[in-house]
Amino acid sequence: MTSLENLTSTRISLRNTETTLVVVAVVGVVALTISSHGAMLSGNSIQATLAYLATPILIGLAQMVALSVGQMNLSVGALGGFVAVAAGSAMVSLGVPAWLAVIGSVALGALGGAINGALVVFTRINGFIVTLATMTILTGLQYEVVGTETISNYSSGLRQIGAAAILHIPVVLLVALAVAALLALFMRRSLPGRRLLASGGNPLAAKLSGISNDRSVVFAHCLSGLIIGVAAVVTLASAPGVNQSIGGDWLLSSFAAPIIGGVALSGGSVSVTGTVLAALIIRLVDVARAQFSLDPNWINFVIGAVVLGTVVLAHRRQTGKTGSPRATRRGATTG
Amino acid sequence: MTMLADSPNQSAPASGESSTFAKLFAKVFANQRTGLVLLIIVLVVIFGSLRSAFFNEQLVLFPMVQQIAMLTVVGLSQLAVLSIGHLNIAVGQMAAFGAMFMGMAYQVWHLPLYAGLLVGLLAGAAIGALTGLIIATSGVNSFVTTLAMNFALLGLVSLVYTQFTTMAAFTTKPDGMEQLRRYSLADVCVGQVCGSNAIPQIAIFAVLAMCLVGYLFSRARTGREMLFVGANPVAAELSGIPVRHRIIGAHALSGALAALAGFMLAVTSGSFTAGIGSEFMIPSFLGPVLGGTLLTGGAVAVFGTFLGIALTQIIKQGLTMIGASVQSLSISLGAILLVALSVDRIRQVVSERRAVRR
């Protein structure tokens, strides 16, 4: 399968994936509304459902950016947790004003990402391993900052923003959607965004057309870190407090949204809409779980089954179109 | 003791230099294991001289060797799939899955110790084979498949535990399990000569696993074919190697080894819980990667995996005894991983330059 065929077929299946996701989401909402006798669509219920959607969208997008150049970022959770506790303790013990802490969080996230990228480029070690190492380091740093305490008495203004809602739509979700919109615009229209995709799609071709792949890798990691910084701010604003456990469960779910959303792990294609929709569907599964008061463990099981089903189906469709089934594929981190 | 697939695009370590010094230098320099052994010796001497309690057999060495043995098996489980260029993100949950069957075998079916172990190993191999089958037939990336499998097993295992147990753990201990936990080689005597107090009996499982995996990848046809698949799947396919079977086989081996590691953890901790394996993912990569296993497939280092795990555990133990905090442990582990791999990279660049000059 040549890369050109690959690209076009991915684009077709992407569109399909997004349509499928919209249908699944609509069916899910309707089913939940009927089974809850309309309570699902009440204002408070909508707000509760959507408030917990902001972080999954953001971490999914952060992972998506790394995937766009064919990299993986295993340090999403550790970086997010570290930034959140660092900003929290800066506000409490150093008296840093909230606006500065917000800017600082985003900058710190971007810096962390840039370090990841620089390490990948300068050492030529596989990105998987580099971010595994930085994840371990950042988890240690997070513990170093916060210990076993929970920081909760920081800026009340930030808290109010976190709890605020416009027409029952939480402000934090609007922030996440704004990030998604900007990212989509960036990837589709801007020169640096197209360069990222070119590097991810075919590094050799990108190099021959004068694009620095190294710069793309650093830039993608930096952008990924920046979005994680925003996710940390959202967590600070909406969570009851930040402690050592923040970010601990981000890693696996950060992959679930882009993969269900149809983002290619090998790089070169992204789907912001797909990632956002997938995060919504995962949230709906959680709501359904709560509504039928099922064991929380069902959600992991369902996510696993859905991811597996999605990728197998998408692949079937793709190979069915091009008519060239491939017996084997190299591991994700190859090359 | 790295086992390479003999494919043309894998450059063998530089050999045939003219001067003996260069040859010796290249040999020592090119072998990652030598560096690891030296580093381990230096660290043991440093920690031992700082804290003489470091050599306390029962309180320090015994639990440390237990940990090293268990994590070595975890590392081998990852190594089995790294050999074909795949990843297994679900290694911890496969361990939990296998251990769950062992717990059920003891508590519900009242099987003896080794029959239960066998049931768990088969369950681990089966879930691994299923993963391999999905990857081989659908062609979906191993990362995604094992990630999804991780989610599915995470949910499934916890559900089974809440369904079948009252305290979220299988606590029935078959005959021999307690002995396996506490006994060391000192309890094995041949005439007057007894083994060391420091080596727990459970470490035998790790030695067996290392021998088995080592034999597989260095001598057995199946293992060599797996390495070929890892080095170049297309060439392997064209040379008539049953690539699909090798993929399924490697994942089944990974699942069985993960289950063995789960058994070892359950024996040392005393009960079978859903939490088994939750800490396995990072060490599973640390060991093989520090030891010199390629992430891209085609080369594995079985003994190196043991050395890599031993190094990390010695550092952990040493730093704890010096009084370092938990957080500095993980910081140092991450830093070691980066430094070790950077050194490896420098080594590679240097040997490439020499190869060009020659």
Side-chain angles (χ1 to χ4, degrees):
Chain A
M1 202 191 296
T2 66
S3 61
L4 189 70
E5 273 175 309
N6 202 352
L7 208 73
T8 45
S9 66
T10 319
R11 195 165 294 157
I12 293 164
S13 76
L14 265 186
R15 204 161 289 157
N16 286 345
T17 310
E18 280 160 17
T19 327
T20 320
L21 289 174
V22 170
V23 172
V24 170
V26 169
V27 169
V29 170
V30 170
L32 282 173
T33 312
I34 294 172
S35 66
S36 65
H37 306 293
M40 169 81 190
L41 290 183
S42 76
N44 290 335
S45 177
I46 289 182
Q47 191 173 333
T49 306
L50 295 182
Y52 291 104
L53 186 56
T55 315
I57 288 180
L58 287 171
I59 57 177
L61 290 176
Q63 192 64 258
M64 189 199 77
V65 172
L67 293 175
S68 73
V69 289
Q71 290 274 319
M72 285 190 198
N73 187 357
L74 298 197
S75 64
V76 269
L79 183 58
F82 169 65
V83 171
V85 297
S89 76
M91 281 189 280
V92 171
S93 47
L94 301 178
V96 174
W99 62 269
L100 191 62
V102 168
I103 297 172
S105 297
V106 178
L108 189 60
L111 177 71
I115 291 174
N116 273 342
L119 281 172
V120 172
V121 166
F122 287 120
T123 61
R124 296 278 157 211
I125 307 171
N126 194 307
F128 184 86
I129 294 297
V130 167
T131 52
L132 186 72
T134 49
M135 166 184 151
T136 321
I137 295 174
L138 285 167
T139 315
L141 287 178
Q142 183 180 358
Y143 194 84
E144 183 104 35
V145 170
V146 76
T148 51
E149 293 166 38
T150 297
I151 304 173
S152 55
N153 51 338
Y154 48 84
S155 162
S156 59
L158 197 59
R159 282 292 175 66
Q160 277 163 5
I161 297 174
I166 300 165
L167 295 173
H168 294 300
I169 297 173
V171 173
V172 284
L173 179 71
L174 293 178
V175 171
L177 290 179
V179 169
L182 284 176
L183 189 64
L185 204 64
F186 173 78
M187 284 293 187
R188 197 165 299 167
R189 295 267 176 260
S190 80
L191 189 60
R194 302 309 299 179
R195 281 194 181 139
L196 285 190
L197 290 175
S199 285
N202 190 336
L204 188 63
K207 194 179 176 186
L208 293 177
S209 5
I211 296 171
S212 162
N213 288 321
D214 288 352
R215 204 174 293 164
S216 293
V217 167
V218 175
F219 188 69
H221 272 291
C222 185
L223 191 57
S224 174
L226 189 139
I227 299 174
I228 293 167
V230 179
V233 171
V234 164
T235 308
L236 270 174
S238 53
V242 287
N243 58 21
Q244 184 214 337
S245 71
I246 293 287
D249 53 354
W250 286 11
L251 175 59
L252 294 181
S253 42
S254 79
F255 282 104
I259 290 170
I260 298 177
V263 175
L265 272 191
S266 46
S269 84
V270 290
S271 170
V272 174
T273 329
T275 306
V276 173
L277 284 171
L280 172 67
I281 291 173
I282 295 173
R283 179 78 195 111
L284 287 178
V285 173
D286 202 13
V287 171
R289 202 266 316 153
Q291 200 173 75
F292 297 108
S293 48
L294 292 172
D295 193 300
N297 291 306
W298 277 106
I299 190 160
N300 282 325
F301 184 70
V302 171
I303 291 177
V306 167
V307 173
L308 219 49
T310 326
V311 288
V312 170
L313 277 182
H315 196 82
R316 280 278 155 79
R317 206 154 51 194
Q318 203 172 316
T319 47
K321 274 205 180 83
T322 53
S324 64
R326 294 181 68 178
T328 51
R329 271 207 167 172
R330 301 294 297 272
T333 53
T334 312
Chain B
M1 214 176 78
T2 310
M3 291 140 205
L4 279 169
D6 319 306
S7 89
N9 59 1
Q10 292 282 353
S11 60
S15 59
E17 306 271 319
S18 45
S19 91
T20 39
F21 173 75
K23 208 186 277 178
L24 188 72
F25 180 73
K27 208 172 176 183
V28 173
F29 199 55
N31 194 344
Q32 201 165 351
R33 259 67 62 198
T34 324
L36 277 178
V37 171
L38 286 177
L39 198 55
I40 287 175
I41 292 171
V42 168
L43 282 172
V44 167
V45 169
I46 291 176
F47 288 135
S49 53
L50 285 175
R51 293 278 183 280
S52 57
F54 190 76
F55 295 117
N56 184 321
E57 290 187 337
Q58 262 138 11
L59 292 178
V60 179
L61 292 184
F62 183 82
M64 189 171 84
V65 177
Q66 256 181 353
Q67 284 288 312
I68 292 176
M70 179 193 73
L71 291 176
T72 302
V73 177
V74 175
L76 290 178
S77 165
Q78 191 64 258
L79 177 137
V81 289
L82 289 178
S83 73
I84 53 167
H86 284 193
L87 299 170
N88 186 359
I89 302 300
V91 58
Q93 290 313 312
M94 285 187 182
F97 185 77
M100 178 184 86
F101 273 89
M102 292 172 202
M104 272 164 70
Y106 300 140
Q107 187 144 331
V108 183
W109 305 321
H110 307 291
L111 291 178
L113 184 67
Y114 288 98
L117 173 62
L118 189 67
V119 168
L121 290 182
L122 288 177
I127 197 74
L130 175 68
T131 313
L133 184 71
I134 295 173
I135 295 171
T137 47
S138 71
V140 175
N141 189 302
S142 66
F143 178 85
V144 180
T145 313
T146 54
L147 182 74
M149 194 51 94
N150 185 70
F151 270 114
L153 290 178
L154 197 66
L156 183 72
V157 170
S158 307
L159 286 173
V160 169
Y161 271 102
T162 44
Q163 194 73 36
F164 283 90
T165 64
T166 44
M167 308 270 286
F170 291 112
T171 46
T172 308
K173 286 182 189 167
D175 290 340
M177 188 164 144
E178 188 59 26
Q179 286 84 328
L180 201 55
R181 179 162 83 96
R182 281 192 323 197
Y183 283 12
S184 66
L185 287 188
D187 300 300
V188 183
C189 292
V190 181
Q192 291 294 311
V193 185
C194 291
S196 161
N197 251 328
I199 314 288
Q201 282 188 3
I202 202 156
I204 294 165
F205 288 104
V207 174
L208 283 178
M210 278 171 65
C211 292
L212 190 86
V213 176
Y215 174 79
L216 177 76
F217 285 115
S218 62
R219 296 272 177 274
R221 186 190 169 99
T222 320
R224 305 301 298 173
E225 288 184 351
M226 282 178 191
L227 288 176
F228 262 121
V229 172
N232 192 336
V234 180
E237 178 97 65
L238 294 177
S239 332
I241 290 173
V243 172
R244 275 184 52 149
H245 290 133
R246 294 299 163 259
I247 290 176
I248 296 170
H251 280 275
L253 178 64
S254 177
L257 286 169
L260 178 62
F263 172 77
M264 291 166 79
L265 178 59
V267 167
T268 46
S269 65
S271 66
F272 292 87
T273 66
I276 280 180
S278 54
E279 305 282 321
F280 278 4
M281 204 197 37
I282 296 174
S284 83
F285 285 103
L286 270 179
V289 169
L290 283 177
T293 301
L294 290 183
L295 274 190
T296 44
V300 296
V302 175
F303 193 62
T305 301
F306 162 72
L307 289 177
I309 292 289
L311 177 69
T312 56
Q313 290 303 310
I314 286 168
I315 290 169
K316 238 179 186 168
Q317 185 69 48
L319 286 182
T320 318
M321 293 189 73
I322 291 174
S325 48
V326 186
Q327 60 271 27
S328 60
L329 290 183
S330 63
I331 296 175
S332 59
L333 274 187
I336 288 162
L337 186 60
L338 281 180
V339 170
L341 289 172
S342 307
V343 169
D344 194 35
R345 172 69 195 160
I346 295 167
R347 203 166 51 82
Q348 204 178 326
V349 170
V350 169
S351 65
E352 263 167 25
R353 285 214 183 119
R354 280 146 51 109
V356 168
R357 216 176 288 153
R358 213 153 11 106

